[in-house]
Amino acid sequence: MDSQPLVTDAPSPYHRRRLLLAERMRQAGGGVALIPTAPEMARNRDTQFPYRADSYFQYLTGFSEPEAALLLVAGRDAAESRSILFCREKNAEREIWDGFRYGPDGARARFAFEAAHVIAEFDAKLAELIADQPALWFSIGHDAAWDARVAAALNKVRGESRSGKRAPAAIRDVRAELDAMRLVKDGQELEIMRRASRISAGAHIRAMRFTTPGRYEYEVEAELLHEFRRHGCEFPAYTPIVAGGANACVLHYVGNDQVLRDGDLLLIDAGGELGGYASDITRTFPVGGRFSGPQADVYDLVLDAQSAAIAAVRPGANFADPHDAALKVLAQGMIDMKLLAGSLDAVLESESYKRFYMHRTSHWLGKDVHDAGEYKQGEHWAPLAPEMVLTIEPGCYVRPAADVPEAFWNIGVRIEDDAVVTAGGCEIITAEAPRKIADIEALMRDARGG
Ligand code: GLY
Ligand code: MN
Ligand code: MN
């Protein structure tokens, strides 16, 4: 079932989101919002990087062609709000080379916009539509070319003041409104994220089964990519980290070109992107199929920290609670394993644990792997609420040093899962990838024929 193509352009959720954005804009005084999609990027000469639409634009439109923008006029009420798409023209010649394009008429009918025009008409229409509006909702500073187009449209309207036109008095950050919306996922988003998670968990299982001493990190990476793609993921959600031995202590290791050695651990941080939504999973397992004593000690410590963090995810808790829960377990374990000296309070207070655990435990997850959404509201960490999605990813990374017990040198462990906040706690949507030592070892034993 996971290999069926995902249909993500069903119009209804996008239409609903546009109405919701218009309502939020009205509550803040109204106006017109501009949400452009991402530009195409040249890789070299006439070769492009694989195209991916802008997350905000895709969230509101479901439209994934390049050279497009959405103008949303809030109006006085829902009946008056209007969504206007600008997109590439139909072009029989270009479609022979590059494939199907909707064109304005096709896009309007398919995606339920109130109007659609060719992108060549955008600049004139922008100036027309923002005249006499209270605010232009546009996030300045993300793309200089769009900033310049907005400035030109504003100046065009300002130049027409003698004919009674007024430019918007306010420029407001439309992404801030959309960030708040994107933080809480709707049913369609959760359905896609569960499916992306299942595929990605399957990729980690495939990697565990495939891994054996003598294989190269990139061979394992190829297994992950194969599994993502054969189930319909458009891309990996980020560059996979496939880090054998000491490489696991390099947090953003993406070289993935070293040979895997018996006796080492392999840390894999990889997730597929499906229908524009990311999965983000890390598993750490032994190249040879059996954890050594010190590896198992570090691994079980991280797993205990993850369990404590997961238990802290529930409505009413705040974003930092899972991190604090994980820290307490990790810090005590580091003391017990003689990685650190001092009392638990002293280690937490001085943050000496950062030598072995230097990143945070969670981030929002959604269309972007580090997804939209504020982490603080004023001085306070954001409260967790149902249908928010966050990662739970504690780790422990031990670099060699004279004051560190040698048995732990070069052991790097991270365990990362994706949690949907529910009314009673959370749902771990990535749980199909095994986490317990016994389960991992059994799976690897089974793959080797017992
Ligand atoms: N894979 C990116 C992260 O775990 O944050
Ligand atoms: Mn993550
Ligand atoms: Mn990750």
Side-chain angles (χ1 to χ4, degrees):
M1 176 257 184
D2 275 341
S3 53
Q4 298 295 311
L6 184 81
V7 178
T8 55
D9 56 355
S12 55
Y14 308 107
H15 188 241
R16 203 169 53 238
R17 292 170 199 157
R18 295 196 294 266
L19 287 179
L20 189 58
L21 175 60
E23 180 57 31
R24 294 178 72 102
M25 290 163 61
R26 273 195 296 278
Q27 281 171 11
V32 176
L34 164 58
I35 300 102
T37 197
E40 292 175 291
M41 303 282 280
R43 187 171 186 272
N44 51 42
R45 292 184 187 264
D46 56 355
T47 304
Q48 308 287 317
F49 282 107
Y51 183 70
R52 184 185 185 278
D54 174 77
S55 293
Y56 294 93
F57 176 82
Q58 202 181 44
Y59 177 76
L60 289 171
T61 64
F63 189 74
S64 47
E65 292 181 19
E67 297 182 71
L70 173 70
L71 283 178
L72 181 69
V73 184
R76 275 172 304 189
D77 56 28
E80 260 195 16
S81 84
R82 279 189 302 144
S83 292
I84 305 162
L85 179 79
F86 293 83
C87 65
R88 300 180 302 188
E89 62 183 358
K90 282 299 277 180
N91 182 323
E93 168 70 10
R94 284 315 321 163
E95 289 184 53
I96 289 171
W97 289 88
D98 303 328
F100 175 79
R101 317 167 157 196
Y102 277 98
D105 292 342
R108 191 183 63 235
R110 180 69 187 85
F111 298 93
F113 298 108
E114 277 71 31
H117 304 283
V118 292
I119 190 77
E121 291 175 20
F122 175 83
D123 296 299
K125 290 266 191 245
L126 177 64
E128 207 176 283
L129 282 162
I130 61 176
D132 300 326
Q133 288 283 342
L136 171 60
W137 295 74
F138 173 72
S139 295
I140 295 173
H142 296 289
D143 183 325
W146 281 103
D147 290 355
R149 290 175 94 156
V150 164
L154 286 168
N155 285 331
K156 184 161 190 296
V157 182
R158 287 169 187 150
E160 289 165 354
S161 64
R162 280 190 303 282
S163 45
K165 289 193 183 162
R166 263 199 332 239
I171 310 289
R172 309 197 57 155
D173 185 4
V174 70
R175 288 195 183 190
E177 296 300 320
L178 288 166
D179 286 349
M181 289 168 59
R182 285 177 55 186
L183 189 49
V184 180
K185 273 61 183 178
D186 62 32
Q188 192 227 32
E189 296 186 285
L190 290 176
E191 192 186 315
I192 300 172
M193 291 187 75
R194 285 194 184 94
R195 191 162 157 181
S197 297
R198 274 204 308 279
I199 295 167
S200 302
H204 279 264
I205 292 170
R206 186 182 179 110
M208 287 177 191
R209 297 181 68 87
F210 176 82
T211 295
T212 196
R215 293 212 149 120
Y216 280 76
E217 291 165 343
Y218 56 75
E219 293 182 84
V220 181
E221 181 182 7
E223 296 295 309
L224 297 160
L225 297 176
H226 177 83
E227 195 70 8
F228 295 155
R229 195 69 186 116
R230 85 186 186 100
H231 288 298
C233 289
E234 304 91 6
F235 314 98
Y238 50 91
T239 306
I241 295 168
V242 182
N247 297 333
C249 296
V250 179
L251 296 180
H252 292 162
Y253 176 80
V254 288
N256 300 357
D257 59 356
Q258 299 297 303
V259 71
L260 297 169
R261 292 190 323 232
D262 200 10
D264 280 350
L265 292 177
L266 174 60
L267 182 155
I268 297 178
D269 185 343
E273 179 175 313
L274 181 77
Y277 286 82
S279 175
D280 187 7
I281 303 179
T282 307
R283 290 292 181 266
T284 310
F285 55 93
V287 170
R290 292 289 302 274
F291 286 83
S292 71
Q295 288 169 349
D297 289 345
V298 177
Y299 188 91
D300 277 334
L301 172 62
V302 175
L303 189 58
D304 287 348
Q306 199 205 29
S307 301
I310 289 171
V313 178
R314 59 178 168 274
N318 71 45
F319 176 78
D321 287 336
H323 181 59
D324 292 342
L327 274 187
K328 279 195 193 118
V329 175
L330 286 171
Q332 185 59 56
M334 290 170 191
I335 295 165
D336 296 344
M337 289 160 58
K338 310 223 175 326
L339 293 173
L340 293 175
S343 68
L344 177 60
D345 285 347
V347 165
L348 291 172
E349 171 72 22
S350 67
E351 301 187 338
S352 56
Y353 59 80
K354 282 192 172 169
R355 184 170 172 200
F356 305 108
Y357 181 47
M358 55 298 278
H359 59 79
R360 294 195 65 88
T361 303
S362 301
H363 54 80
W364 305 129
L365 185 72
K367 292 187 84 57
D368 304 341
V369 65
H370 293 172
D371 203 35
E374 294 293 346
Y375 289 96
K376 276 197 162 180
Q377 294 179 354
E379 286 303 295
H380 302 287
W381 290 106
L384 300 180
E387 276 84 56
M388 291 179 172
V389 186
L390 67 161
T391 63
I392 304 291
E393 49 178 305
C396 182
Y397 315 91
V398 187
R399 287 170 172 269
D403 59 342
V404 168
E406 197 170 341
F408 297 116
W409 285 9
N410 293 320
I411 294 177
V413 173
R414 178 163 64 256
I415 307 170
E416 175 173 28
D417 284 275
D418 303 342
V420 180
V421 184
T422 60
C426 69
E427 171 194 350
I428 301 298
I429 56 177
T430 45
E432 283 172 29
R435 271 178 290 186
K436 289 198 186 118
I437 284 183
D439 294 342
I440 292 171
E441 290 186 345
L443 188 144
M444 296 184 75
R445 216 170 27 246
D446 172 66
R448 290 160 164 73

